[in-house]
Amino acid sequence: RFLFVVLFLMLICLIQGSFSCASADDGTYPDPTDCAKFIQCYGGREYKKTCPPGLFFNPKIKACDWPQNVQCA
């Protein structure tokens, strides 16, 4: 169920081109515009984070990972 929610939010982000923690559950989400970034939501507040150089955010494991392990458009 959680994966469905994440995929649904990603689809909405692709359509809208943005992401808002105001309408998302607490958690960690991929940035809709940059594979090396992610967004942590807590209490409706947004905290933008960046992976170390050379890594992409992997929503499957909710952590930065090698690019070959991440599907990113």
Side-chain angles (χ1 to χ4, degrees), residues 10-30:
M10 287 174 59
L11 177 61
I12 290 172
C13 290
L14 289 173
I15 293 169
Q16 294 180 345
S18 64
F19 179 85
S20 172
C21 284
S23 59
D25 291 333
D26 289 354
T28 306
Y29 302 92

Side-chain angles (χ1 to χ4, degrees), residues 31 33-38 49-57 64 72:
D31 184 293
T33 60
D34 190 333
C35 297
K37 296 183 179 182
F38 58 99
K49 309 285 184 165
T50 302
C51 291
L55 300 180
F56 285 168
F57 179 73
C64 297
C72 184

